[in-house]
Amino acid sequence: MKNIERTAGDVPRLTLVTLMLAVFTVSAGFGVVLPLLPDLIERLLVGEVTPAQISRHTGLLTAVYTFSLFLFAPMWGRLSDRRGARVVLLVGLLGFGVSMLIFSFIESLTAVYIERFLSGLFAAAATPVAAAVIGNFTTTEQGRARRFAFITMAGIAGFLLGPMLGIFVTRFAADFLSLAMPAGSVAVPLAATALLAFFVAFTVAFAVPGRPRSALAKQTSITEVDKRAWLVPKLLILTFIVSAGVGVFEVGLALRGKQELGLTPYQIALMFAECSLVMFVMQAIVFSPWFKPDKTRWLIAPALSVLALSLILIPWASDFTLMLIVIGAVAASAGILTPILTYWISAKAGSAQGWELGKQTAAASLGVTVGSMAGGFLFNIAALPGASFVLSAGFVALGFLLSLNLPHLLASRIYEHI
């Protein structure tokens, strides 16, 4: 434990792996649940069930989860600044595991809504607090940036692998354990996710520092932070804009693939897999040894312009191949922007790592919620074909204008390493 608590040097390897596992677990939990919701809703609704009812409840349950993230991520971040990351991660992971375990036995749609809210509440402790631990360690800027990329890559991997892991454990339970499960059962994958959360919580107790580190606070020029304090809100606005664009994109991608292009479920799943894989690769590249972290500020505006242009082109992609090309462009730009914004928010946060990164998680969650709702609402407006994509592209273009002077402003460091 003394090695973990030291104030000099890099993030201990065990600590980094544990933080990545924590983020992976909550992301996998969300990924496991998402494809199971339609069957679960159909089983729990009483009477004749229509596709519109299933779609509405699926969207609302997803929105409840992300809205809970928006509400509670800043609270967990602030608490980690004051009480330490270990206790916050423990409460978050244990609470998330218990909520998922209860979810596996739920037989009421109302109870599912309550559970989704509680799962979001506890999941909100993982990502911002994990990132805050990285931000609070004294290390090189290259190392700090790469470790932020590892955290975001772990989240993407969890979301990407979650559905496949759910299918695998369900088949294992049916084939090898001879468990008979009703149609729409979610018990086995949710219970497996809960066990993973409990295991990671056990690891957190030994691998994550217990008290906030004060070294960064001593290195921070308060005058400079106050002078540049409005930079963080600007970065948070860009986080919201990017997340809203991605939310519109994800909903519109599924609807366009099914209703307009007549793609098979396999093809639609392949498009989402491509999106996650491209984002994963871009995040690995942008903070690799090939790029200096302080130069990433020059990528923000170009990535926003590519994102806006790609969203406009989606309605014009008339077949599966063209969709794959456009999807790659959207995923690449979003994959670049996410870790860069996280890195610079942390760099400008001073000693308030948990608070500011918690607000970033909240901004991203709110963006996805608003974007998903707007994407579903605007998609079927006959008078405005492609309205959801065009309007979201215009929104991202505003973000591009907001970002034009960021390279100059971000060049001013708010602290120097000893």
Side-chain angles (χ1 to χ4, degrees):
M1 185 66 67
K2 290 182 179 179
N3 290 335
I4 294 174
E5 298 284 1
R6 68 185 186 274
T7 59
D10 203 352
V11 183
R13 184 171 299 178
L14 180 59
T15 300
L16 178 62
V17 172
T18 301
L19 296 174
M20 292 174 64
L21 279 174
V23 175
F24 175 88
T25 299
V26 296
S27 297
F30 180 73
V32 163
V33 169
L34 198 56
L36 300 175
L37 282 178
D39 287 338
L40 177 65
I41 293 167
E42 186 175 10
R43 180 164 62 86
L44 296 182
L45 284 174
V46 179
E48 186 176 352
V49 181
T50 65
Q53 286 178 300
I54 295 175
S55 298
R56 182 171 65 252
H57 283 292
T58 300
L60 287 174
L61 284 168
T62 304
V64 165
Y65 182 89
T66 55
F67 185 68
S68 185
L69 290 173
F70 162 72
L71 289 178
F72 295 105
M75 176 198 75
W76 290 120
R78 174 61 67 85
L79 189 61
S80 74
D81 288 334
R82 295 179 175 178
R83 300 296 182 182
R86 183 193 300 151
V87 64
V88 174
L89 284 173
L90 280 173
V91 172
L93 287 166
L94 291 174
F96 183 77
V98 170
S99 69
M100 296 294 277
L101 198 59
I102 294 173
F103 192 5
S104 64
F105 298 101
I106 283 177
E107 292 295 329
S108 163
L109 190 58
T110 301
V112 173
Y113 274 95
I114 297 173
E115 188 284 331
R116 287 287 78 196
F117 183 83
L118 292 176
S119 286
L121 184 159
F122 291 112
T127 301
V129 176
V133 173
I134 301 297
N136 278 329
F137 267 90
T138 303
T139 182
T140 65
E141 291 303 300
Q142 185 75 43
R144 184 193 302 273
R146 291 187 65 189
R147 282 148 186 75
F148 277 134
F150 290 157
I151 294 297
T152 54
M153 287 163 63
I156 293 176
F159 181 76
L160 179 62
L161 297 177
M164 290 186 286
L165 291 175
I167 293 172
F168 173 78
V169 297
T170 300
R171 288 182 177 177
F172 177 84
D175 296 340
F176 295 94
L177 302 180
S178 301
L179 295 180
M181 291 169 288
S185 175
V186 297
V188 172
L190 294 181
T193 305
L195 291 176
L196 178 60
F198 295 148
F199 168 77
V200 178
F202 175 80
T203 308
V204 164
F206 296 95
V208 176
R211 298 296 302 172
R213 291 159 53 91
S214 58
L216 184 63
K218 294 178 181 179
Q219 299 172 35
T220 304
S221 168
I222 301 300
T223 302
E224 188 66 21
V225 170
D226 291 340
K227 182 179 178 181
R228 300 286 183 175
W230 60 275
L231 265 178
V232 173
K234 180 179 284 191
L235 294 168
L236 293 174
I237 292 172
L238 291 179
T239 297
F240 172 82
I241 289 173
V242 172
S243 299
V246 171
V248 169
F249 163 73
E250 290 178 340
V251 171
L253 183 62
L255 293 175
R256 177 166 165 75
K258 181 177 179 61
Q259 297 181 13
E260 296 183 356
L261 300 180
L263 301 180
T264 65
Y266 172 77
Q267 288 176 311
I268 294 175
L270 186 61
M271 291 192 297
F272 277 103
E274 180 210 3
C275 181
S276 297
L277 183 60
V278 171
M279 291 182 70
F280 187 92
V281 171
M282 294 307 300
Q283 292 192 17
I285 292 175
V286 73
F287 282 132
S288 69
W290 303 331
F291 291 91
K292 292 183 178 180
D294 62 331
K295 302 300 182 184
T296 58
R297 67 188 190 275
W298 295 101
L299 298 177
I300 297 175
L304 284 167
S305 65
V306 171
L307 180 59
L309 180 61
S310 303
L311 289 170
I312 290 177
L313 292 176
I314 289 178
W316 302 98
S318 56
D319 57 37
F320 181 61
T321 302
L322 291 175
M323 284 292 291
L324 289 178
I325 295 173
V326 177
I327 289 167
V330 172
S333 55
I336 288 173
L337 287 164
T338 301
I340 289 177
L341 292 173
T342 300
Y343 168 77
W344 283 108
I345 288 173
S346 174
K348 301 299 179 182
S351 60
Q353 294 288 316
W355 174 238
E356 298 298 351
L357 291 168
K359 288 192 291 185
Q360 189 202 22
T361 299
S365 301
L366 183 62
V368 171
T369 302
V370 172
S372 299
M373 294 175 62
F377 178 76
L378 295 172
F379 186 82
N380 289 318
I381 298 179
L384 297 170
S388 59
F389 298 112
V390 174
L391 292 178
S392 63
F395 194 45
V396 174
L398 292 177
F400 168 77
L401 296 176
L402 184 66
S403 70
L404 287 177
N405 65 338
L406 274 179
H408 172 71
L409 296 174
L410 292 175
S412 176
R413 290 178 174 271
I414 59 171
Y415 64 88
E416 296 179 356
H417 291 295
I418 294 176

